[in-house]
Amino acid sequence: MKEFIKKISGVRWVSSLLFLIALFVITGIVNPTFFSYSNIIACFNNSCVFMLLAIGISFTIMTGEIDVSIGAVMGLTAAISGVIAQQNGSWLPMLGWAVLVGAVTGLVNGIGVAVLKVPSLIFTLGTCGVVRGIVYIYTGGRTIENFSGSFTRFGNSTVGNTGIGVFFLMMIVIVAVLAVLLNTRRGKYFLAVGDNIGGAVLVGIPATRVKFFAYILSGIFAGISGIVFASKYGQITIIAGNGYEMSAVAACVLGGISLSGGLGNVIGAAIGGVIMSSISRLLVFLGFSSDYDNTITGVMLIAIVVIDALTQQRAIENARRERLLARAAVSGQ
Amino acid sequence: MKNKMLKIVKSWEFVLLLILVLEFVVFGSINDKFLQPVRIFSNITNYISICIISLFVTMVMITGGIDIQASSIVGLTSITIGVLWNDFGFSIWAAVGAAILLAALCGALSGFFVAYCGVQPMVVTLGGSFLYSGLGLVISRMSAIPAYQGISGFPSKNEDGTFSSFRWLGNAKLFGDLKLPVQIVIYVILIILMYILLHKTKYGRSIFLVGVNPQAAEYSGINTKLVKMSTYMLTGIGAAIAGILLTSQLNSSKYDLGSTYTLSIITAVVLGGTLSTGGKGSIIGTALASLVICMLRFGLTLCFKMSSQNLDLPVGIMLLLVVSGRQLLRIVRHMDA
């Protein structure tokens, strides 16, 4: 039992989960009306867009790179699925386009970052601009709205009487499947490449291919999040998804994924996504106006990463001291 | 002498200069309105915030960091000036001074976390961008004027119709018929100052050394942490200058001014030849690169009737082509050797 606790407290996403629970509990203590099933489940139901984005970008972050084009990709697929929904189209073409757009963008990013070795922030910044431009050309600068009712209804529908959203249920399945897959031999390649790319290459991991794959996954997830976005909000402006990439990165950081790569888990990314999307709702219950949204997100983000960095530094320092002491003991004998 | 010439021709700044000249030739021959100084000036003044901030972010990136919070400090400065002047009875210049101080503090805070706590710069400044834009919104609530409206009516015109006091900064034209806007004069002064600071002083050399090898810098007696922190603080001040000029020009103080600048700033710095991994970069390169982007945007809207909303596409393509091209060239050269 003791070992189990020790093992579980070492997992980074567990502390993120505890943080999420603490947020809920504090909100509930301040304002007891928050403690209802429907309120709490709503926090999860509304987090699907952020969760998808965060999970997608977590692959690139795990390999030690970053992908800031996901917000634009999301905007493009949201616009495409919006247009399909206007014509009463079905889900299949939407999904097809989302995967296609995401995969192509991911492919381009992969070529730039993994093959040409351009710094990832810069290259994905470029693709971000290009995809944004395509959004503008595709929509002609108009806002897409007036979808068929069935499309938006589905986005807000729940499973039976449980109140659990359809999208959220799918998210749980996706996260569970990914968590299992990432625990396999090949799944661990992402973290290996991010932790030490030279070492990974030496032990025979195809680092270039892994990075390629990470970018394609991140693109596809961003593409799918566009469908969810369109279905949830029912209106897509040409700047839809602007700045979402930064929120997704923030979600990953909150979920315990290290931006220098090699540390983290998709479960963490999903939990981070829930935290990011719940903050504004929690603030309302705490009696703050939503004006404080960004301030609190910023404070939280900085506080978490600073504390994390300091504890890690201390751990390294302690390990070094122990090593020195051990060496002194050996030489003293 | 010949070697020196060759070195200049081979340098990245020279390529940028060629691109800039090419833009003038191409756009100028298509539409001669492009060559009117008044149009060029007004176009640069519209892009001035990005031009100014990218100079400062160059220094941050040379130390191996990155600053994505500067654009949120622009709005924070703007709203601080407005609220202090309008609701707290500060004189306009006192409000400007306070805003600069606040911006420097914001920069220093993020810099402190990066330098002294060892957190990744990207994360800290990401948090900073949330925090400072949020702070701007909170400050705007202290005003009697609703946030979306923006505070306006800053002290402006003399009786003869010329701009004075605060609004002179953003609207006056200098040198008689040349009609050179004040912002551009300030920009040129900033370029010269930053050039001297980065390339001619001991402080500038230490910035490069911190970027190349922080450990070696530390051992050679440079206070690397202080140097790192100071670059973020300077960027805060740079963002404040941009915010002041923008507020003065628009005669409106809003918390969300400049919120979309982040990607443009990074694009300008990177296109200017600064390595995002640190250790290499130049002020002239950044200045030329921001002008290249600025003129590209201007030329495309003027000559090809492109919508100004859709300028991300050409700038994005240019960025991709430039960075991929440079990288390809490096790989090819590597193979030869």
Side-chain angles (χ1 to χ4, degrees):
Chain A
M1 186 63 200
K2 220 174 183 180
E3 248 169 44
F4 176 73
I5 291 174
K6 203 171 178 187
K7 199 177 168 192
I8 205 96
S9 61
V11 181
R12 287 167 71 93
W13 63 263
V14 172
S15 43
S16 305
L17 186 63
L18 290 178
F19 183 69
L20 178 66
I21 294 171
L23 276 181
F24 281 173
V25 169
I26 291 169
T27 314
I29 291 171
V30 174
N31 186 349
T33 53
F34 174 73
F35 272 140
S36 75
Y37 180 70
S38 63
N39 274 333
I40 291 174
I41 206 75
C43 282
F44 288 101
N45 283 344
N46 289 326
S47 63
C48 294
V49 175
F50 276 130
M51 273 166 97
L52 279 167
L53 285 172
I55 291 171
I57 203 175
S58 72
F59 287 105
T60 50
I61 294 180
M62 276 190 258
T63 61
E65 307 287 352
I66 201 163
D67 185 353
V68 293
S69 65
I70 55 170
V73 170
M74 191 194 100
L76 181 56
T77 57
I80 292 174
S81 36
V83 169
I84 294 174
Q86 277 177 335
Q87 297 151 353
N88 244 332
S90 77
W91 288 88
L92 228 54
M94 288 183 200
L95 204 62
W97 276 108
V99 172
L100 186 72
V101 168
V104 169
T105 321
L107 206 66
V108 174
N109 283 335
I111 292 172
V113 176
V115 180
L116 293 177
K117 304 214 165 32
V118 180
S120 54
L121 176 67
I122 293 152
F123 198 89
T124 53
L125 207 58
T127 42
C128 169
V130 173
V131 177
R132 276 258 158 256
I134 296 173
V135 173
Y136 184 85
I137 294 171
Y138 179 73
T139 60
R142 284 185 301 274
T143 298
I144 296 167
E145 48 198 346
N146 298 329
F147 302 157
S148 68
S150 63
F151 182 57
T152 41
R153 254 202 311 281
F154 185 77
N156 296 312
S157 63
T158 54
V159 183
N161 290 326
T162 55
I164 299 171
V166 179
F167 283 134
F168 181 61
L169 203 65
M170 289 180 194
M171 285 312 306
I172 295 177
V173 175
I174 292 173
V175 171
V177 170
L178 283 177
V180 172
L181 282 181
L182 279 176
N183 230 345
T184 61
R185 192 187 142 88
R186 279 167 192 280
K188 285 180 176 165
Y189 282 3
F190 291 108
L191 288 175
V193 168
D195 190 37
N196 180 351
I197 187 161
V201 171
L202 282 181
V203 297
I205 294 173
T208 310
R209 215 186 305 162
V210 169
K211 281 192 180 175
F212 240 105
F213 202 57
Y215 272 104
I216 291 174
L217 278 177
S218 137
I220 290 176
F221 271 97
I224 296 172
S225 77
I227 305 177
V228 179
F229 181 88
S231 160
K232 267 237 158 4
Y233 297 98
Q235 185 194 44
I236 296 127
T237 61
I238 56 162
I239 55 161
N242 236 358
Y244 272 52
E245 59 274 354
M246 290 306 160
S247 301
V249 174
C252 283
V253 172
L254 290 175
I257 298 174
S258 161
L259 274 197
S260 47
L263 258 184
N265 191 305
V266 277
I267 303 176
I271 295 170
V274 177
I275 297 176
M276 276 303 284
S277 66
S278 305
I279 289 170
S280 49
R281 178 176 285 266
L282 295 181
L283 282 180
V284 172
F285 277 99
L286 285 172
F288 286 109
S289 86
S290 58
D291 293 348
Y292 290 91
D293 224 8
N294 278 348
T295 316
I296 302 226
T297 311
V299 169
M300 211 163 69
L301 204 60
I302 294 178
I304 287 177
V305 291
V306 168
I307 291 169
D308 187 44
L310 289 181
T311 45
Q312 267 187 22
Q313 267 173 20
R314 175 165 291 183
I316 293 170
E317 194 71 12
N318 279 346
R320 205 174 60 100
R321 196 169 300 145
E322 267 169 35
R323 247 193 341 263
L324 281 176
L325 280 177
R327 208 179 292 163
V330 169
S331 59
Q333 271 172 357
Chain B
M1 186 63 204
K2 203 183 159 197
N3 270 343
K4 205 172 180 188
M5 281 294 286
L6 206 69
K7 206 177 161 194
I8 289 175
V9 171
K10 269 187 168 175
S11 73
W12 181 243
E13 286 87 344
F14 189 75
V15 177
L16 285 173
L17 194 65
L18 280 185
I19 297 177
L20 193 60
V21 172
L22 192 74
E23 281 180 359
F24 273 101
V25 171
V26 171
F27 292 132
S29 60
I30 292 175
N31 191 339
D32 53 2
K33 279 183 192 161
F34 184 82
L35 298 175
Q36 289 171 1
V38 178
R39 280 172 191 269
I40 294 176
F41 289 155
S42 81
N43 195 58
I44 296 178
T45 44
N46 288 338
Y47 211 63
I48 200 83
S49 305
I50 292 162
C51 294
I52 289 178
I53 298 173
S54 57
L55 292 181
F56 290 86
V57 175
T58 308
M59 290 206 310
V60 175
M61 274 174 89
I62 291 174
T63 65
I66 194 164
D67 190 328
I68 52 177
Q69 67 185 8
S71 53
S72 65
I73 295 183
V74 174
L76 179 64
T77 345
S78 175
I79 194 67
T80 309
I81 294 171
V83 171
L84 285 181
W85 175 75
N86 189 51
D87 297 83
F88 288 81
F90 276 52
S91 84
I92 189 72
W93 295 112
V96 167
I100 294 180
L101 203 65
L102 179 66
L105 268 178
C106 289
L109 183 71
S110 298
F112 175 79
F113 289 136
V114 171
Y116 288 88
C117 300
V119 194
Q120 291 142 332
M122 174 97 187
V123 197
V124 174
T125 53
L126 174 67
S129 72
F130 281 109
L131 176 59
Y132 303 139
S133 64
L135 215 56
L137 184 61
V138 171
I139 289 177
S140 78
R141 294 288 164 184
M142 292 178 191
S143 168
I145 298 169
Y148 62 86
Q149 211 173 334
I151 297 162
S152 57
F154 288 106
S156 62
K157 286 187 178 176
N158 290 334
E159 278 165 16
D160 55 353
T162 54
F163 287 100
S164 71
S165 184
F166 180 60
R167 296 210 53 211
W168 179 84
L169 281 177
N171 293 287
K173 311 272 187 285
L174 299 179
F175 302 121
D177 284 341
L178 191 61
K179 295 207 163 143
L180 193 64
V182 180
Q183 287 110 309
I184 295 185
V185 177
I186 293 176
Y187 180 45
V188 172
I189 294 173
L190 277 176
I191 292 177
I192 296 169
L193 280 180
M194 295 293 287
Y195 179 79
I196 293 171
L197 185 66
L198 189 60
H199 297 288
K200 301 287 171 203
T201 64
K202 206 173 151 191
Y203 172 71
R205 294 312 302 168
S206 61
I207 286 180
F208 277 101
L209 190 52
V210 168
V212 175
N213 188 343
Q215 209 123 39
E218 186 77 48
Y219 289 150
S220 63
I222 295 168
N223 190 343
T224 53
K225 289 175 176 167
L226 194 66
V227 169
K228 268 191 193 171
M229 185 171 131
S230 67
T231 57
Y232 290 90
M233 203 171 94
L234 283 175
T235 308
I237 295 174
I241 296 173
I244 292 163
L245 293 180
L246 208 58
T247 312
S248 161
Q249 186 190 358
L250 302 175
N251 190 20
S252 167
S253 137
K254 272 181 152 177
Y255 71 93
D256 59 351
L257 284 183
S259 56
T260 54
Y261 289 168
T262 308
L263 299 192
S264 312
I265 293 167
I266 306 284
T267 310
V269 176
V270 168
L271 198 62
T274 303
L275 276 186
S276 64
T277 44
K280 191 163 174 273
S282 82
I283 291 294
I284 304 292
T286 303
L288 281 171
S290 40
L291 287 180
V292 164
I293 298 173
C294 177
M295 287 300 138
L296 181 72
R297 295 171 67 103
F298 174 44
L300 287 175
T301 42
L302 186 74
C303 303
F304 297 104
K305 304 278 172 287
M306 258 176 103
S307 155
S308 59
Q309 282 175 300
N310 193 21
L311 290 173
D312 287 344
L313 184 65
V315 175
I317 290 177
M318 190 167 75
L319 182 66
L320 286 185
L321 285 182
V322 167
V323 290
S324 312
R326 282 177 74 183
Q327 210 65 29
L328 267 179
L329 220 66
R330 196 171 297 161
I331 291 172
V332 168
R333 220 178 274 162
H334 207 73
M335 277 177 179
D336 282 350

